[in-house]
Amino acid sequence: MHDREDLHLPKGAWYGKPIESMAHDVRDGYDRAAAGTAGITVVPVGDAWVRAMRTGVADSNPYDGIDADKINLWTYDAYHASTYGYYLQALVLFGSITGRDPRSLGANECSGFELGLSGAQVGALQQVAFDQLAAEGTLHTAAAKPETKPSRPTRCSASH
């Protein structure tokens, strides 16, 4: 999901509208394109971004500063994803491709740790990905129990 200036600056096509407006329009286009092509499935990354914002995990407007205790899904240019945004994308792709609950990776999984995300941030993004995939009916397995470990590893190689 790209923010650009379309939502937050007066010249934007979705200016003054909630982020769901842009997400709905983009998703509608993807769904129509997929309907015309056999074997194509839309992966709900943009919808997961909106869910992260609406549930208070992520800030919805990088132009007015980032609210306390929220993450910024966009990088400095407010166009491309940040590490958090790409991590959420990866979780949604993981669940879409494997059918597995992203929470089964656990808050201490190595990728998030090595990217510099806190265990709480990893867990919150895994929950968002799970909730979106569950709402889409994408997950093929029963909800797995999240991995629990008493502390974060200092190095991922040490934890395996």
Side-chain angles (χ1 to χ4, degrees):
M1 156 108 21
H2 294 293
D3 171 47
R4 300 182 55 184
E5 298 89 32
D6 295 344
L7 286 168
H8 304 295
L9 299 179
K11 66 180 179 176
W14 293 284
Y15 178 70
K17 297 178 183 175
I19 194 165
E20 289 91 352
S21 295
M22 181 175 73
H24 179 275
D25 290 350
V26 171
R27 176 66 189 262
D28 184 56
Y30 285 150
D31 286 341
R32 284 186 283 126
T37 308
I40 298 293
T41 302
V42 176
V43 178
V45 174
D47 299 293
W49 276 48
V50 170
R51 184 178 293 272
M53 292 173 216
R54 291 298 169 227
T55 59
V57 172
D59 191 279
S60 63
N61 185 353
Y63 290 97
D64 66 0
I66 306 304
D67 293 343
D69 296 327
K70 292 186 181 179
I71 60 172
N72 187 358
L73 295 173
W74 291 280
T75 194
Y76 70 92
D77 64 4
Y79 183 74
H80 294 92
S82 67
T83 300
Y84 302 107
Y86 284 125
Y87 184 74
L88 179 55
Q89 175 183 341
L91 291 169
V92 174
L93 285 166
F94 168 79
S96 293
I97 293 166
T98 66
R100 287 184 53 200
D101 178 346
R103 300 172 306 170
S104 67
L105 299 170
N108 292 319
E109 70 88 20
C110 288
S111 295
F113 175 73
E114 290 178 352
L115 290 169
L117 281 64
S118 72
Q121 292 166 333
V122 167
L125 291 169
Q126 288 175 358
Q127 185 66 50
V128 168
F130 168 79
D131 291 342
Q132 188 60 47
L133 292 166
E136 301 271 338
T138 303
L139 299 176
H140 305 296
T141 57
K145 290 183 181 177
E147 176 187 321
T148 56
K149 290 184 181 178
S151 63
R152 258 181 105 75
T154 56
R155 289 184 21 204
C156 286
S157 61
S159 68
H160 295 290

